[in-house]
C-alpha cells in the first residue's frame, strides 16, 4: 500500500476489469498532466499508470485472442475456443 495520498495502490490492478483499469489510467494521466505535484507523488502515479497500461494491454490481447479463436462450426454457428495469453505464447 502506498503512503502517498490519492494513489490507489490498495486496489489490486490484476483484479480490475478493462473499464476500471482504463478509467483509473485516465484519472492518473489527468492528475500528472495538471502538474505541480511533489516528485514522490509524480513517481508513484507514473508507476501506477505504467501498471494500469500493462493491465489494459493484457486484457485487450486476451480479447483479441478470443476473437481470433472464433471458429465456424459445420452448422454455421460460431464457437468460442477459450484460451489464455500464456497458451498463445506456447503456440508460437
Amino acid at each position: 500500500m502506498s503512503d502517498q495520498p490519492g494513489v490507489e495502490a490498495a486496489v489490486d490492478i490484476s483484479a480490475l476489469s478493462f473499464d476500471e483499469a482504463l478509467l483509473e489510467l485516465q484519472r492518473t494521466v489527468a492528475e500528472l498532466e495538471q502538474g505541480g505535484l511533489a516528485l514522490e507523488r509524480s513517481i508513484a502515479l507514473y508507476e501506477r499508470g505504467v501498471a494500469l497500461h500493462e493491465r489494459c494491454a493484457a486484457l485487450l490481447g486476451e480479447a483479441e485472442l478470443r476473437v481470433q479463436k472464433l471458429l465456424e462450426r459445420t452448422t454455421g454457428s460460431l464457437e468460442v475456443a477459450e484460451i489464455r495469453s500464456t497458451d498463445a505464447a506456447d503456440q508460437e
Side-chain angles (χ1 to χ4, degrees):
M1 182 179 224
S2 173
D3 57 353
Q4 296 295 319
V7 177
E8 300 178 30
V11 177
D12 183 14
I13 290 174
S14 66
L16 296 176
S17 70
F18 176 81
D19 291 333
E20 292 166 335
L22 182 60
L23 181 60
E24 188 177 338
L25 178 58
Q26 290 170 334
R27 288 180 186 151
T28 300
V29 169
E31 188 171 347
L32 283 167
E33 286 177 340
Q34 285 178 348
L37 301 171
L39 178 60
E40 290 301 317
R41 173 122 176 97
S42 294
I43 291 170
L45 283 171
Y46 181 80
E47 289 171 343
R48 181 91 175 154
V50 169
L52 289 163
H53 174 268
E54 289 172 356
R55 173 69 177 158
C56 288
L59 290 172
L60 283 174
E62 289 174 12
E64 182 179 11
L65 288 173
R66 288 187 66 199
V67 169
Q68 290 174 351
K69 288 303 235 178
L70 284 173
L71 305 172
E72 186 172 346
R73 293 181 172 195
T74 55
T75 61
S77 63
L78 294 177
E79 174 184 330
V80 175
E82 292 291 331
I83 62 170
R84 298 190 186 278
S85 57
T86 55
D87 295 339
D90 294 340
Q91 293 174 2
E92 291 178 355

